[in-house]
Amino acid sequence: MVAEIRGLMPPADTEIVIDVPCVSGTITYTANRDSIPEVVDTKAAISSLMMRGFAGKSVEDPGAERRRKVLEIRQARRAANSPKMLVILDINSVTEDFELIHTREEDEFIVSLGESPAKSIRSSHERYVQSLFTALSLSSPTDLAAKRLVDCVLFYRDDGKPIFCYEMEGYGTAYTAAPMTQEVAEEARNFAAQLSKGPDYADVNRLLAKSMDLANDELLSFLSAWAALEIFVSKSFKEYEKLLFKYPGAGRLAAHPDVLQRISTVMSDKFRLTDKFAMLAGTLDEAGVETDLKTFGGVKGLRDRLFHGKEVSTKKLPCESTRNLVRKYLRLHLEAGSAR
């Protein structure tokens, strides 16, 4: 693992190497970008050339092209001339033998396409990597920030030849497009007027727009969409809570207004976010509330796991389904407001 650290100056004219027996490795603190092993860049270069091959671009001399790519990677790193310090964590361990499939052996290395223990190895050391960043923050007199540059697992055969293992993974996002019509344009104008009238929707507007921004990564888009949903539900809940106590009696319940007022007061801080959403959704779309409650519960569960530090894949988060809940109920809320 190689990371760039902001907030600590690199050691002057040398590098600091610390042995880490607990993970059978070393930590190097340096300003020298060439301290990153060339074999790491070789693996990255081969990956890049393979992707070009999948795209149908042939290479006349793969060896020369690979060396050119490695040189390009290392020159670009030097040209950045960043004053930030690098921390290089090099962990060495022995792994059990595993089967190599779809292999090609060259003079200098072996390429393997297929499953390998790389993910489990990376996962097993992730806690130490995170602990290292925290430890640096605790030890530093200044606030720190870290940016990972390399997170690479390399295997070596018993004879010392490196084995570059690649697992093909694909992710995609599908979009549906609707025609732009005069009706859509007029609706958008009317909703914009309603949303811009007061401060109640300012945070919802800002966060929903941020979630839609394609320049964001998945995690920021999801958290922005969730925050928009949570704020909208919490702010609009009071209006729908009143419907619980609108009528003076229900079945055999006491009907006196003072009793209902006391119940309302006692319950005011007892409703959970899911309760609030259920009340809002049940009022605005009685037919769809059960389906939407399941969606809401799934999204909230993921949000809770993220906030409680549980392991969650951030490669594909429910950004669209979260935005759809905001879109649906904000629209219904605005339409209901117009009708009142």
Side-chain angles (χ1 to χ4, degrees):
M1 186 280 302
V2 181
E4 205 172 55
I5 304 295
R6 186 191 67 194
L8 282 173
M9 296 295 293
D13 303 325
T14 184
E15 58 184 27
I16 298 173
V17 181
I18 302 290
D19 289 326
V20 190
C22 67
V23 292
S24 302
T26 60
I27 302 172
T28 302
Y29 299 99
T30 182
N32 183 8
R33 266 55 189 160
D34 285 339
S35 294
I36 298 174
E38 188 171 313
V39 66
V40 170
D41 296 329
T42 300
K43 183 180 180 183
I46 293 171
S47 175
S48 175
L49 293 176
M50 284 196 300
M51 292 307 297
R52 286 176 56 181
F54 288 135
K57 297 180 180 178
S58 60
V59 177
E60 290 185 6
D61 187 344
E65 185 64 15
R66 183 187 71 249
R67 289 188 290 273
R68 186 199 65 78
K69 186 65 178 177
V70 170
L71 184 60
E72 179 184 289
I73 292 172
R74 298 183 75 79
Q75 285 179 336
R77 195 180 286 134
R78 294 187 205 109
N81 196 26
S82 173
K84 299 182 181 70
M85 181 182 71
L86 292 184
V87 53
I88 303 173
L89 174 62
D90 185 4
I91 298 175
N92 294 288
S93 60
V94 177
T95 187
E96 294 183 2
D97 290 342
F98 60 95
E99 184 181 2
L100 296 176
I101 56 177
H102 305 301
T103 62
R104 186 182 80 245
E105 184 164 353
E106 304 286 347
D107 291 339
E108 302 171 43
F109 54 81
I110 301 167
V111 173
S112 174
L113 291 177
E115 293 185 2
S116 74
K119 285 184 179 178
S120 61
I121 291 172
R122 187 180 288 109
S123 177
S124 68
H125 293 300
E126 180 61 21
R127 183 172 179 180
Y128 184 81
V129 174
Q130 294 167 348
S131 299
L132 174 59
F133 291 148
T134 302
L136 283 171
S137 178
L138 295 178
S139 304
S140 170
T142 58
D143 183 42
L144 300 185
K147 177 184 179 182
R148 294 197 200 191
L149 302 180
V150 175
D151 195 357
C152 180
V153 177
L154 296 171
F155 298 98
Y156 291 87
R157 202 167 61 183
D158 290 342
D159 61 4
K161 180 175 283 191
I163 306 170
F164 300 139
C165 294
Y166 304 93
E167 293 185 44
M168 303 304 294
E169 292 184 327
Y171 299 92
T173 302
Y175 294 93
T176 57
M180 183 64 191
T181 64
Q182 184 71 25
E183 181 182 4
V184 171
E186 291 177 359
E187 275 194 345
R189 177 195 60 200
N190 295 336
F191 284 141
Q194 285 179 273
L195 289 167
S196 61
K197 282 180 180 177
D200 287 351
Y201 303 109
D203 289 334
V204 178
N205 291 344
R206 176 174 54 80
L207 290 163
L208 189 56
K210 184 178 286 292
S211 176
M212 294 162 56
D213 190 342
L214 292 175
N216 296 330
D217 60 25
E218 282 275 308
L219 181 58
L220 180 57
S221 292
F222 170 67
L223 292 178
S224 298
W226 170 260
L229 179 59
E230 186 171 357
I231 291 170
F232 167 66
V233 169
S234 297
K235 283 195 171 185
S236 58
F237 169 68
K238 287 293 181 184
E239 187 172 334
Y240 297 93
E241 182 187 16
K242 294 174 184 176
L243 297 176
L244 275 181
F245 307 100
K246 181 177 180 180
Y247 301 105
R252 296 181 180 273
L253 289 177
H256 195 282
D258 289 347
V259 175
L260 294 176
Q261 179 59 44
R262 283 197 293 274
I263 294 173
S264 176
T265 301
V266 169
M267 289 299 296
S268 63
D269 62 346
K270 300 295 190 296
F271 290 110
R272 300 171 303 165
L273 183 65
T274 303
D275 300 329
K276 294 178 179 181
F277 177 78
M279 192 178 300
L280 181 150
T283 304
L284 293 174
D285 183 17
E286 186 176 355
V289 64
E290 292 300 328
T291 298
D292 289 340
L293 265 175
K294 289 179 182 177
T295 302
F296 183 88
V299 170
K300 185 178 183 300
L302 180 62
R303 175 266 185 202
D304 291 345
R305 291 197 296 276
L306 275 170
F307 276 50
H308 294 154
K310 301 293 179 62
E311 196 69 29
V312 174
S313 173
T314 57
K315 290 181 178 178
K316 188 57 183 172
L317 294 168
C319 302
E320 184 178 359
S321 57
T322 309
R323 281 196 298 269
N324 283 342
L325 287 176
V326 184
R327 291 173 56 245
K328 175 179 177 177
Y329 286 101
L330 179 56
R331 178 188 178 107
L332 290 173
H333 177 71
L334 292 174
E335 290 176 340
S338 298
R340 286 192 289 271

